């Protein structure tokens, strides 16, 4: 009898769990300090005659989690309506990609958040590389790790960046067969001229190098439905909006007191957009290094615009940006649409 026969066979060492690569392009001038461009952008917005803060500043770690909660609300129809479209039409979407020679694309997920939307599309689209991109760096790292656990063989490169400032991605991202995935009607946060410029950046061989685009767009509908989606009964959207002030406090060393502000959401029919504002409840002075701003009672800070499109107006935008082979899928109520466009 061999000595080894008297022992239980020990299991071989398990292979280490795959870890997604992660590249943080949100450069900092010194540890713990935001980039000077961020300080300048926030200061200019707050000091403008009509004060504003970009909606990208909603998304610190808490803001990202609050937005996850918003997507589960009864009033917030976009997420579940879009998810229904993906569920019903994902095979057709994969076919549209294949028709354009994109059977195994590099899938670039802009504003990836918790990556849940892409997780549902990865099986039918079969990307050779998945690139989640988000401004909320720590939140994205955790989400990318969850995707890697679900798809251990998939090459994942997470990118922390403010993609509204440009779409030049790092060299680790494949330069060919790029399909941008921009769900949730986030393109609506841009004004139409800005949205067109952003779409052109995707198509630009020196920037996004896109071969195709899957784009979620919220469609025009009645004002009551739109306003309820951005001002829910539980007040989750109000907390999300006010949390922006906490993020500004951290980035600017400012002294906003969220208790002095209320959430306002309204539909601007003339510009076909929902607007979110923070309105001062009383006269208040806010300070940060080198600056101060007095807000009178009732004065507002504009924090988000969400433009609503028709199928015709978005198709026209995509054509102007240089995309072709445009088609769309929508829900039975025509509340939301997912567009495919190729170059």
């Amino acid at each position: 009898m061999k000595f080894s026969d008297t022992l239980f066979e020990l299991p071989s060492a398990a292979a280490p769990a795959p870890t997604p690569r992660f590249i943080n392009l949100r450069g900092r001038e010194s540890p713990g300090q935001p980039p000077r461009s961020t300080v300048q952008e926030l200061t200019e917005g707050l000091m403008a005659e009509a004060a504003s803060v970009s909606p990208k500043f909603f998304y610190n770690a808490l803001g990202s989690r609050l937005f996850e909660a918003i997507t589960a609300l009864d009033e917030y129809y976009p997420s579940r309506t879009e998810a229904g479209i993906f569920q019903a039409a994902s095979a057709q979407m994969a076919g549209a990609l294949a028709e354009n020679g994109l059977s195994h694309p590099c899938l670039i997920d802009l504003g990836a958040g918790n990556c849940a939307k892409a997780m549902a599309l990865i099986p039918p689209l079969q990307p050779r590389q998945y690139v989640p991109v988000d401004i909320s760096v720590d939140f994205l790292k955790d989400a990318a790790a969850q995707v890697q656990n679900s798809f251990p063989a998939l090459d994942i490169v997470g990118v922390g960046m403010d993609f509204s400032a440009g779409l030049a991605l790092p060299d680790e991202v494949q330069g060919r067969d790029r399909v941008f995935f921009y769900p949730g009607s986030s393109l609506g946060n841009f004004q139409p001229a800005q949205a067109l410029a952003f779409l052109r950046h995707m198509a630009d061989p020196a920037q996004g190098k896109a071969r195709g685009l899957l784009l979620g767009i919220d469609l025009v509908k009645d004002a009551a439905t739109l306003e309820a989606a951005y001002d829910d009964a539980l007040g989750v959207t109000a907390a999300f909006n006010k949390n922006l002030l906490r993020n500004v406090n951290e980035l600017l060393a400012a002294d906003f007191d969220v208790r002095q502000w209320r959430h306002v959401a309204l539909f601007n029919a003339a510009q076909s957009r929902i607007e979110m504002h923070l309105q001062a409840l009383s006269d208040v002075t806010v300070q940060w290094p080198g600056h101060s701003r007095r807000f009178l009672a009732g004065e507002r800070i504009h924090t988000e615009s969400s433009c609503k499109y028709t199928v015709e107006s978005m198709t026209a935008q995509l054509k102007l940006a240089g995309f072709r082979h445009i088609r769309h899928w929508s829900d039975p109520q025509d509340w939301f649409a997912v567009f495919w466009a190729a170059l």
Side-chain angles (χ1 to χ4, degrees):
M1 178 182 294
K2 296 180 182 178
F3 179 73
S4 60
D5 290 340
T6 65
L7 302 177
F8 290 106
E9 184 177 353
L10 296 175
S12 58
T19 302
R21 290 174 286 168
F22 195 87
I23 301 159
N24 186 5
L25 299 183
R26 298 205 67 205
R28 294 179 178 268
E29 296 175 359
S30 59
Q33 296 296 318
R36 179 175 288 123
S37 59
T38 296
V39 173
Q40 181 179 349
E41 179 180 357
L42 285 169
T43 297
E44 289 177 353
L46 290 170
M47 296 299 291
E49 182 177 356
S52 66
V53 176
S54 169
K56 68 188 178 186
F57 294 109
F58 286 135
Y59 297 101
N60 60 0
L62 177 58
S64 296
R65 286 173 170 80
L66 284 169
F67 185 73
E68 274 194 286
I70 287 170
T71 64
L73 296 170
D74 288 343
E75 298 96 328
Y76 196 77
Y77 64 85
S79 292
R80 65 175 177 272
T81 306
E82 185 181 48
I85 295 170
F86 286 135
Q87 184 176 13
S90 61
Q92 296 176 43
M93 294 174 190
L97 268 68
E99 289 172 8
N100 287 275
L102 295 164
S103 297
H104 299 285
C106 170
L107 186 65
I108 301 170
D109 186 359
L110 298 180
N114 64 7
C115 302
K117 294 177 181 180
M119 288 267 282
L121 283 182
I122 285 171
L125 298 189
Q126 300 183 37
R128 66 164 53 88
Q129 185 178 62
Y130 172 58
V131 184
V133 182
D134 206 283
I135 196 169
S136 185
V137 175
D138 292 337
F139 189 81
L140 181 63
K141 285 182 178 179
D142 292 341
Q146 291 299 317
V147 179
Q148 191 75 86
N149 287 338
S150 298
F151 302 99
L154 180 60
D155 181 24
I156 299 177
V157 180
V159 181
M161 67 181 285
D162 175 9
F163 57 82
S164 68
L167 283 171
L169 294 164
D171 291 341
E172 289 83 353
V173 177
Q174 294 178 15
R176 60 190 177 87
D177 293 348
R178 288 183 175 182
V179 170
F180 281 86
F181 179 48
Y182 200 23
S185 199
S186 296
L187 187 71
N189 291 151
F190 297 99
Q191 294 307 304
Q194 296 171 325
L196 177 58
F198 188 69
L199 292 170
R200 284 175 169 161
H201 284 160
M202 286 187 196
D204 188 344
Q207 282 258 340
K209 306 176 185 177
R211 289 276 314 281
L213 168 65
L214 276 171
L215 176 68
I217 289 295
D218 197 10
L219 300 177
V220 175
K221 60 188 66 64
D222 66 282
T225 299
L226 288 168
E227 289 180 352
Y230 291 82
D231 193 11
D232 61 278
L234 288 175
V236 182
T237 310
F240 174 69
N241 199 8
K242 291 179 183 179
N243 182 65
L244 176 144
L245 297 179
R246 294 190 179 94
N247 195 25
V248 170
N249 282 346
E250 181 176 347
L251 293 169
L252 279 186
D255 61 355
F256 279 100
D257 183 342
V258 297
R259 295 169 297 183
Q260 297 175 320
W261 299 83
R262 78 176 186 95
H263 166 68
V264 175
L266 55 91
F267 182 59
N268 183 332
Q271 299 194 51
S272 191
R273 70 188 191 190
I274 278 282
E275 295 177 3
M276 292 210 312
H277 302 261
L278 290 165
Q279 182 172 300
L281 294 171
S282 60
D283 294 356
V284 59
T285 298
V286 180
Q287 300 184 66
W288 62 99
H291 299 277
S292 68
R293 167 76 185 257
R294 183 165 179 78
F295 294 91
L296 301 179
E299 194 170 356
R300 294 174 176 177
I301 302 172
H302 188 169
T303 57
E304 183 181 28
S305 291
S306 183
C307 295
K308 309 304 174 185
Y309 289 87
T310 64
V311 168
E312 293 75 18
S313 63
M314 180 47 60
T315 299
Q317 283 277 73
L318 289 166
K319 287 181 177 178
L320 284 172
F323 289 94
R324 297 292 182 267
H325 310 291
I326 300 165
R327 60 182 297 188
H328 77 280
W329 299 266
S330 62
D331 60 286
Q333 294 175 290
D334 285 329
W335 276 12
F336 202 94
V338 175
F339 285 80
W340 162 251
L343 287 164

